[in-house]
Amino acid sequence: MCPPIIAAGLGIAQMGAQISGQRQMAKAQARVQANASKAERQRYLQEVSSMRVQQGQEQVAAAQRVNASARKAREARATARVSAGEAGVAGLSVDALINDLTKQEAEYSFATQQQLQMNDVGRSMQLENAGLGFTNNMLRINKPIEQPNYLGAALSGAQTGMSTYSWAKDAGIKNPFK
């Protein structure tokens, strides 16, 4: 008969091959996850950076519009005073005109600031959603890696050894070591 040691050797060899393959797969999966995590971090940082740059540009543009409006309002008030003075008009009607110009300037400035605040609320929501998306992507990428199954490999190896021994016995293979 086939010596049990040969059958056991085949089983042990199969077990070793399974464990080695499982280890290699786990290492490869860890590398894939590390690369995907790095790419996701870069994507997220770029997305957030882009939103912040846009926010900064909006704030600069709003400040420029408010400054231009203030300059035009100053010019309009100065023109109104000079025109009223040249026409010999004074009193409440000139004051009312100056106050109206000042009010329009203040309303424009307030509306611009209010729009910036609404944009900031929307951007905060976008940033929060980006953070949630980042977290979800990282969880999807970094699922637990299956580790080598030593018991399963040992049982499979033992089964292979026993099957080989049984096959050799049924085939009538003689033990050359007897």
Side-chain angles (χ1 to χ4, degrees), residues 56-76:
Q57 291 170 342
E58 288 173 0
Q59 289 172 341
V60 167
Q64 290 171 342
R65 288 191 309 269
V66 167
N67 286 339
S69 172
R71 186 178 73 261
K72 287 179 184 177
R74 280 191 306 274
E75 290 170 359

PDB file of all heavy atoms in Angstrom, residues 56-76:
ATOM      1  N   GLY A  56     -13.418  82.075  -1.401  1.00  0.00           N
ATOM      2  CA  GLY A  56     -12.538  83.246  -1.341  1.00  0.00           C
ATOM      3  C   GLY A  56     -12.767  84.186  -2.522  1.00  0.00           C
ATOM      4  O   GLY A  56     -12.801  85.412  -2.356  1.00  0.00           O
ATOM      5  N   GLN A  57     -12.937  83.607  -3.707  1.00  0.00           N
ATOM      6  CA  GLN A  57     -13.188  84.428  -4.888  1.00  0.00           C
ATOM      7  C   GLN A  57     -14.514  85.171  -4.771  1.00  0.00           C
ATOM      8  O   GLN A  57     -14.604  86.350  -5.146  1.00  0.00           O
ATOM      9  CB  GLN A  57     -13.179  83.555  -6.142  1.00  0.00           C
ATOM     10  CG  GLN A  57     -11.809  83.011  -6.490  1.00  0.00           C
ATOM     11  CD  GLN A  57     -11.855  81.959  -7.583  1.00  0.00           C
ATOM     12  OE1 GLN A  57     -12.892  81.371  -7.878  1.00  0.00           O
ATOM     13  NE2 GLN A  57     -10.698  81.705  -8.191  1.00  0.00           N
ATOM     14  N   GLU A  58     -15.529  84.507  -4.248  1.00  0.00           N
ATOM     15  CA  GLU A  58     -16.829  85.154  -4.058  1.00  0.00           C
ATOM     16  C   GLU A  58     -16.722  86.313  -3.064  1.00  0.00           C
ATOM     17  O   GLU A  58     -17.331  87.369  -3.267  1.00  0.00           O
ATOM     18  CB  GLU A  58     -17.870  84.143  -3.567  1.00  0.00           C
ATOM     19  CG  GLU A  58     -18.314  83.158  -4.621  1.00  0.00           C
ATOM     20  CD  GLU A  58     -19.221  82.065  -4.070  1.00  0.00           C
ATOM     21  OE1 GLU A  58     -19.519  82.065  -2.842  1.00  0.00           O
ATOM     22  OE2 GLU A  58     -19.628  81.197  -4.854  1.00  0.00           O
ATOM     23  N   GLN A  59     -15.954  86.117  -1.995  1.00  0.00           N
ATOM     24  CA  GLN A  59     -15.805  87.171  -0.992  1.00  0.00           C
ATOM     25  C   GLN A  59     -15.062  88.380  -1.566  1.00  0.00           C
ATOM     26  O   GLN A  59     -15.435  89.528  -1.298  1.00  0.00           O
ATOM     27  CB  GLN A  59     -15.105  86.629   0.247  1.00  0.00           C
ATOM     28  CG  GLN A  59     -15.972  85.679   1.046  1.00  0.00           C
ATOM     29  CD  GLN A  59     -15.225  84.981   2.172  1.00  0.00           C
ATOM     30  OE1 GLN A  59     -14.007  84.914   2.182  1.00  0.00           O
ATOM     31  NE2 GLN A  59     -15.987  84.447   3.122  1.00  0.00           N
ATOM     32  N   VAL A  60     -14.029  88.116  -2.347  1.00  0.00           N
ATOM     33  CA  VAL A  60     -13.288  89.225  -2.967  1.00  0.00           C
ATOM     34  C   VAL A  60     -14.186  89.972  -3.945  1.00  0.00           C
ATOM     35  O   VAL A  60     -14.225  91.213  -3.950  1.00  0.00           O
ATOM     36  CB  VAL A  60     -12.009  88.695  -3.672  1.00  0.00           C
ATOM     37  CG1 VAL A  60     -11.401  89.751  -4.583  1.00  0.00           C
ATOM     38  CG2 VAL A  60     -10.997  88.233  -2.636  1.00  0.00           C
ATOM     39  N   ALA A  61     -14.927  89.232  -4.773  1.00  0.00           N
ATOM     40  CA  ALA A  61     -15.817  89.869  -5.746  1.00  0.00           C
ATOM     41  C   ALA A  61     -16.890  90.702  -5.032  1.00  0.00           C
ATOM     42  O   ALA A  61     -17.210  91.827  -5.469  1.00  0.00           O
ATOM     43  CB  ALA A  61     -16.463  88.820  -6.642  1.00  0.00           C
ATOM     44  N   ALA A  62     -17.445  90.174  -3.940  1.00  0.00           N
ATOM     45  CA  ALA A  62     -18.467  90.913  -3.186  1.00  0.00           C
ATOM     46  C   ALA A  62     -17.878  92.179  -2.584  1.00  0.00           C
ATOM     47  O   ALA A  62     -18.508  93.254  -2.630  1.00  0.00           O
ATOM     48  CB  ALA A  62     -19.062  90.023  -2.094  1.00  0.00           C
ATOM     49  N   ALA A  63     -16.679  92.084  -2.030  1.00  0.00           N
ATOM     50  CA  ALA A  63     -16.032  93.268  -1.450  1.00  0.00           C
ATOM     51  C   ALA A  63     -15.782  94.321  -2.528  1.00  0.00           C
ATOM     52  O   ALA A  63     -15.976  95.522  -2.291  1.00  0.00           O
ATOM     53  CB  ALA A  63     -14.720  92.876  -0.772  1.00  0.00           C
ATOM     54  N   GLN A  64     -15.384  93.871  -3.720  1.00  0.00           N
ATOM     55  CA  GLN A  64     -15.149  94.816  -4.814  1.00  0.00           C
ATOM     56  C   GLN A  64     -16.459  95.500  -5.233  1.00  0.00           C
ATOM     57  O   GLN A  64     -16.481  96.703  -5.501  1.00  0.00           O
ATOM     58  CB  GLN A  64     -14.515  94.099  -6.010  1.00  0.00           C
ATOM     59  CG  GLN A  64     -13.083  93.676  -5.758  1.00  0.00           C
ATOM     60  CD  GLN A  64     -12.529  92.778  -6.860  1.00  0.00           C
ATOM     61  OE1 GLN A  64     -13.268  92.193  -7.644  1.00  0.00           O
ATOM     62  NE2 GLN A  64     -11.199  92.659  -6.904  1.00  0.00           N
ATOM     63  N   ARG A  65     -17.555  94.722  -5.285  1.00  0.00           N
ATOM     64  CA  ARG A  65     -18.857  95.309  -5.640  1.00  0.00           C
ATOM     65  C   ARG A  65     -19.314  96.326  -4.582  1.00  0.00           C
ATOM     66  O   ARG A  65     -19.820  97.405  -4.920  1.00  0.00           O
ATOM     67  CB  ARG A  65     -19.910  94.214  -5.810  1.00  0.00           C
ATOM     68  CG  ARG A  65     -19.740  93.383  -7.063  1.00  0.00           C
ATOM     69  CD  ARG A  65     -20.946  92.496  -7.349  1.00  0.00           C
ATOM     70  NE  ARG A  65     -21.375  91.679  -6.224  1.00  0.00           N
ATOM     71  CZ  ARG A  65     -20.966  90.448  -5.958  1.00  0.00           C
ATOM     72  NH1 ARG A  65     -20.074  89.858  -6.753  1.00  0.00           N
ATOM     73  NH2 ARG A  65     -21.435  89.776  -4.920  1.00  0.00           N
ATOM     74  N   VAL A  66     -19.133  95.988  -3.306  1.00  0.00           N
ATOM     75  CA  VAL A  66     -19.531  96.895  -2.226  1.00  0.00           C
ATOM     76  C   VAL A  66     -18.692  98.171  -2.284  1.00  0.00           C
ATOM     77  O   VAL A  66     -19.219  99.288  -2.124  1.00  0.00           O
ATOM     78  CB  VAL A  66     -19.430  96.195  -0.845  1.00  0.00           C
ATOM     79  CG1 VAL A  66     -19.521  97.193   0.297  1.00  0.00           C
ATOM     80  CG2 VAL A  66     -20.508  95.126  -0.717  1.00  0.00           C
ATOM     81  N   ASN A  67     -17.390  98.025  -2.513  1.00  0.00           N
ATOM     82  CA  ASN A  67     -16.525  99.211  -2.612  1.00  0.00           C
ATOM     83  C   ASN A  67     -16.917 100.088  -3.802  1.00  0.00           C
ATOM     84  O   ASN A  67     -16.947 101.313  -3.697  1.00  0.00           O
ATOM     85  CB  ASN A  67     -15.057  98.806  -2.720  1.00  0.00           C
ATOM     86  CG  ASN A  67     -14.498  98.319  -1.400  1.00  0.00           C
ATOM     87  OD1 ASN A  67     -15.039  98.619  -0.337  1.00  0.00           O
ATOM     88  ND2 ASN A  67     -13.420  97.549  -1.463  1.00  0.00           N
ATOM     89  N   ALA A  68     -17.219  99.448  -4.931  1.00  0.00           N
ATOM     90  CA  ALA A  68     -17.635 100.217  -6.112  1.00  0.00           C
ATOM     91  C   ALA A  68     -18.950 100.934  -5.831  1.00  0.00           C
ATOM     92  O   ALA A  68     -19.129 102.111  -6.223  1.00  0.00           O
ATOM     93  CB  ALA A  68     -17.771  99.295  -7.321  1.00  0.00           C
ATOM     94  N   SER A  69     -19.862 100.255  -5.169  1.00  0.00           N
ATOM     95  CA  SER A  69     -21.150 100.867  -4.818  1.00  0.00           C
ATOM     96  C   SER A  69     -20.948 102.045  -3.872  1.00  0.00           C
ATOM     97  O   SER A  69     -21.582 103.099  -4.039  1.00  0.00           O
ATOM     98  CB  SER A  69     -22.051  99.814  -4.170  1.00  0.00           C
ATOM     99  OG  SER A  69     -23.210 100.397  -3.659  1.00  0.00           O
ATOM    100  N   ALA A  70     -20.069 101.908  -2.901  1.00  0.00           N
ATOM    101  CA  ALA A  70     -19.803 102.997  -1.947  1.00  0.00           C
ATOM    102  C   ALA A  70     -19.191 104.190  -2.662  1.00  0.00           C
ATOM    103  O   ALA A  70     -19.553 105.347  -2.389  1.00  0.00           O
ATOM    104  CB  ALA A  70     -18.885 102.499  -0.836  1.00  0.00           C
ATOM    105  N   ARG A  71     -18.277 103.914  -3.601  1.00  0.00           N
ATOM    106  CA  ARG A  71     -17.645 105.001  -4.361  1.00  0.00           C
ATOM    107  C   ARG A  71     -18.697 105.740  -5.201  1.00  0.00           C
ATOM    108  O   ARG A  71     -18.745 106.977  -5.212  1.00  0.00           O
ATOM    109  CB  ARG A  71     -16.525 104.452  -5.249  1.00  0.00           C
ATOM    110  CG  ARG A  71     -15.744 105.544  -5.959  1.00  0.00           C
ATOM    111  CD  ARG A  71     -14.582 105.015  -6.804  1.00  0.00           C
ATOM    112  NE  ARG A  71     -15.057 104.355  -8.028  1.00  0.00           N
ATOM    113  CZ  ARG A  71     -15.202 103.030  -8.226  1.00  0.00           C
ATOM    114  NH1 ARG A  71     -14.896 102.198  -7.292  1.00  0.00           N
ATOM    115  NH2 ARG A  71     -15.634 102.545  -9.359  1.00  0.00           N
ATOM    116  N   LYS A  72     -19.556 104.978  -5.876  1.00  0.00           N
ATOM    117  CA  LYS A  72     -20.606 105.601  -6.697  1.00  0.00           C
ATOM    118  C   LYS A  72     -21.577 106.397  -5.822  1.00  0.00           C
ATOM    119  O   LYS A  72     -22.031 107.483  -6.214  1.00  0.00           O
ATOM    120  CB  LYS A  72     -21.364 104.538  -7.490  1.00  0.00           C
ATOM    121  CG  LYS A  72     -20.569 103.976  -8.640  1.00  0.00           C
ATOM    122  CD  LYS A  72     -21.366 102.909  -9.381  1.00  0.00           C
ATOM    123  CE  LYS A  72     -20.523 102.288 -10.478  1.00  0.00           C
ATOM    124  NZ  LYS A  72     -21.221 101.204 -11.178  1.00  0.00           N
ATOM    125  N   ALA A  73     -21.889 105.868  -4.648  1.00  0.00           N
ATOM    126  CA  ALA A  73     -22.799 106.585  -3.738  1.00  0.00           C
ATOM    127  C   ALA A  73     -22.164 107.882  -3.254  1.00  0.00           C
ATOM    128  O   ALA A  73     -22.836 108.921  -3.176  1.00  0.00           O
ATOM    129  CB  ALA A  73     -23.171 105.686  -2.553  1.00  0.00           C
ATOM    130  N   ARG A  74     -20.877 107.854  -2.934  1.00  0.00           N
ATOM    131  CA  ARG A  74     -20.172 109.091  -2.519  1.00  0.00           C
ATOM    132  C   ARG A  74     -20.190 110.119  -3.653  1.00  0.00           C
ATOM    133  O   ARG A  74     -20.449 111.306  -3.440  1.00  0.00           O
ATOM    134  CB  ARG A  74     -18.729 108.780  -2.108  1.00  0.00           C
ATOM    135  CG  ARG A  74     -18.568 108.224  -0.727  1.00  0.00           C
ATOM    136  CD  ARG A  74     -17.096 108.199  -0.283  1.00  0.00           C
ATOM    137  NE  ARG A  74     -16.201 107.514  -1.204  1.00  0.00           N
ATOM    138  CZ  ARG A  74     -15.952 106.204  -1.208  1.00  0.00           C
ATOM    139  NH1 ARG A  74     -16.524 105.423  -0.315  1.00  0.00           N
ATOM    140  NH2 ARG A  74     -15.111 105.684  -2.081  1.00  0.00           N
ATOM    141  N   GLU A  75     -19.915 109.624  -4.863  1.00  0.00           N
ATOM    142  CA  GLU A  75     -19.916 110.525  -6.025  1.00  0.00           C
ATOM    143  C   GLU A  75     -21.313 111.113  -6.252  1.00  0.00           C
ATOM    144  O   GLU A  75     -21.459 112.307  -6.541  1.00  0.00           O
ATOM    145  CB  GLU A  75     -19.446 109.779  -7.279  1.00  0.00           C
ATOM    146  CG  GLU A  75     -17.977 109.412  -7.265  1.00  0.00           C
ATOM    147  CD  GLU A  75     -17.577 108.467  -8.401  1.00  0.00           C
ATOM    148  OE1 GLU A  75     -18.453 108.075  -9.214  1.00  0.00           O
ATOM    149  OE2 GLU A  75     -16.386 108.109  -8.474  1.00  0.00           O
ATOM    150  N   ALA A  76     -22.348 110.273  -6.118  1.00  0.00           N
ATOM    151  CA  ALA A  76     -23.726 110.741  -6.327  1.00  0.00           C
ATOM    152  C   ALA A  76     -24.113 111.765  -5.255  1.00  0.00           C
ATOM    153  O   ALA A  76     -24.765 112.785  -5.568  1.00  0.00           O
ATOM    154  CB  ALA A  76     -24.695 109.550  -6.302  1.00  0.00           C
TER     155      ALA A  76
END
